[in-house]
């Protein structure tokens, strides 16, 4: 499986609900981005709210697994907590009605009507307001343990991710290996002194369905000021293992699943 595909949502939201035509969905996403506290929801040079779309799909995957979706007894409406807040700190919910289209796809029992605050009349029909997704399983996993060594299979990472190095202007494998080893050595020393440099992401193995927290470490390959890539680190029983690398944009998307990244290196 291509590495980037491992880090995509399960897209249960698309299986369970019709979100509208592409044009209509874009309007809904724009509405949500304006409704929520301001943050970056677009990739550079785009305005389609793709980051927000992925975030919603990730969130739905998690709240479904946690049974945090509210459905009326008569199964006429459904909602879940997006985890986003308005400028005044009010929860924002995704609100669905029954999909009555005769042409609906199998399994798509719901239609995304829009996004609501708790004070909106449509939500008053629910006895309970659904809670936000919870990713905090073991708190210690969210902080880099400086007592553990980091092991990396450099050949494996370079071979499997050569195109990502090529994209940032690196083509010679010997040079890539040298730069990568140096970048890993330096970031390990930095993160030992500043644990906040390591950003958590929530990863679900699509083959085993097991979920866990991984850490993302910035790799400064060509400049000490701008990170080129992010190293994905798995925590084992006795050490950390560098699994793969991600682009900065994809690292941002994955980390945003849990919380808005607040470190300088993870800016897009």
């Amino acid at each position: 499986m291509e590495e980037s595909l491992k880090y995509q949502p399960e897209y249960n939201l698309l299986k369970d609900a019709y979100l509208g035509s592409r044009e209509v969905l874009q309007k809904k996403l724009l509405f949500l981005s304006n409704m929520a506290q301001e943050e970056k929801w677009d990739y550079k040079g785009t305005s389609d709210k793709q980051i927000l779309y992925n975030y919603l799909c990730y969130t739905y995957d998690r709240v479904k697994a946690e049974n945090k979706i509210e459905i009326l007894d008569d199964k006429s409406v459904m909602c879940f907590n997006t985890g986003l807040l308005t400028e005044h700190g009010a929860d924002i919910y995704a609100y669905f009605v029954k999909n009555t289209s005769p042409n609906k796809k199998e399994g798509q029992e719901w239609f995304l009507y829009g996004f609501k605050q708790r004070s909106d009349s449509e939500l008053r029909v629910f006895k309970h307001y659904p809670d936000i997704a919870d990713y905090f399983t073991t708190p210690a996993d969210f902080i880099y343990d400086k007592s553990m060594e980091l092991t990396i299979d450099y050949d494996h990472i370079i071979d499997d991710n050569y195109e990502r190095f090529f994209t940032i202007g690196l083509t010679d494998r010997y040079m890539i290996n040298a730069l990568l080893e140096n970048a890993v050595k330096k970031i390990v020393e930095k993160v030992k002194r500043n644990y906040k440099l390591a950003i958590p992401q929530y990863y679900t193995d699509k083959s085993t369905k097991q979920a866990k927290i991984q850490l993302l470490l910035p790799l400064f390959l060509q400049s000490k000021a701008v990170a080129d890539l992010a190293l994905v680190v798995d925590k084992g029983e006795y050490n950390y293992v560098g699994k793969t690398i991600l682009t900065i944009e994809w690292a941002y998307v994955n980390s945003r699943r849990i919380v808005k990244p607040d470190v300088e290196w993870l800016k897009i």
Side-chain angles (χ1 to χ4, degrees), residues 145-163:
D145 185 345
K146 62 183 181 181
S147 69
M148 299 177 67
E149 291 190 5
L150 173 61
T151 301
I152 295 180
D153 184 341
Y154 289 98
D155 290 336
H156 173 76
I157 287 182
I158 294 171
D159 289 342
D160 284 0
N161 300 277
Y162 179 74
E163 288 186 1

Side-chain angles (χ1 to χ4, degrees), residues 111-166:
F111 172 72
L112 176 60
Y113 186 86
F115 300 94
K116 304 292 179 180
Q117 300 182 47
R118 183 174 296 192
S119 58
D120 289 335
S121 59
E122 290 90 343
L123 293 186
R124 295 174 189 170
V125 297
F126 292 99
K127 295 179 181 178
H128 307 285
Y129 295 101
D131 198 1
I132 62 174
D134 183 9
Y135 299 99
F136 294 86
T137 51
T138 305
D141 292 341
F142 287 78
I143 297 179
Y144 190 89
D145 185 345
K146 62 183 181 181
S147 69
M148 299 177 67
E149 291 190 5
L150 173 61
T151 301
I152 295 180
D153 184 341
Y154 289 98
D155 290 336
H156 173 76
I157 287 182
I158 294 171
D159 289 342
D160 284 0
N161 300 277
Y162 179 74
E163 288 186 1
R164 291 177 188 168
F165 291 105
F166 182 83

Side-chain angles (χ1 to χ4, degrees), residues 71-121:
I71 301 175
L72 282 192
D73 291 339
D74 64 2
K75 302 187 185 304
S76 59
V77 292
M78 173 182 82
C79 75
F80 73 88
N81 194 319
T82 65
L84 301 176
L85 298 172
T86 67
E87 288 294 338
H88 299 292
D91 287 271
I92 300 176
Y93 301 86
Y95 180 80
F96 300 78
V97 296
K98 198 71 174 177
N99 186 357
T100 58
S101 172
N103 299 318
K104 68 180 181 182
K105 293 183 179 179
E106 183 179 356
Q108 289 187 333
E109 298 298 322
W110 302 102
F111 172 72
L112 176 60
Y113 186 86
F115 300 94
K116 304 292 179 180
Q117 300 182 47
R118 183 174 296 192
S119 58
D120 289 335
S121 59

Side-chain angles (χ1 to χ4, degrees), residues 234-252:
D234 258 356
K235 185 178 184 181
E237 187 175 356
Y238 303 108
N239 65 345
Y240 286 110
V241 177
K243 301 291 290 186
T244 187
I245 57 172
L246 299 176
T247 65
I248 296 301
E249 288 186 334
W250 200 252
Y252 183 95

Side-chain angles (χ1 to χ4, degrees), residues 158-207:
I158 294 171
D159 289 342
D160 284 0
N161 300 277
Y162 179 74
E163 288 186 1
R164 291 177 188 168
F165 291 105
F166 182 83
T167 300
I168 62 173
L170 300 176
T171 57
D172 183 86
R173 291 178 184 269
Y174 179 82
M175 180 64 70
I176 292 173
N177 191 90
L179 290 172
L180 184 57
E181 286 187 6
N182 182 64
V184 169
K185 180 180 178 181
K186 287 185 176 298
I187 195 55
V188 167
E189 291 305 311
K190 286 183 179 180
V191 78
K192 285 180 180 179
R193 293 158 175 80
N194 182 7
Y195 68 89
K196 292 183 179 179
L197 288 173
I199 302 300
Q201 73 170 11
Y202 190 83
Y203 168 62
T204 303
D205 189 303
K206 289 180 169 56
S207 59

Side-chain angles (χ1 to χ4, degrees), residues 198-247:
I199 302 300
Q201 73 170 11
Y202 190 83
Y203 168 62
T204 303
D205 189 303
K206 289 180 169 56
S207 59
T208 65
K209 300 300 180 181
Q210 292 184 336
K212 58 185 174 181
I213 296 295
Q214 296 175 317
L215 293 177
L216 301 172
L217 299 180
L219 294 175
F220 298 90
L221 297 167
Q222 304 176 94
S223 165
K224 65 179 181 180
V226 180
D228 300 286
L229 298 164
L231 177 68
V232 179
V233 174
D234 258 356
K235 185 178 184 181
E237 187 175 356
Y238 303 108
N239 65 345
Y240 286 110
V241 177
K243 301 291 290 186
T244 187
I245 57 172
L246 299 176
T247 65

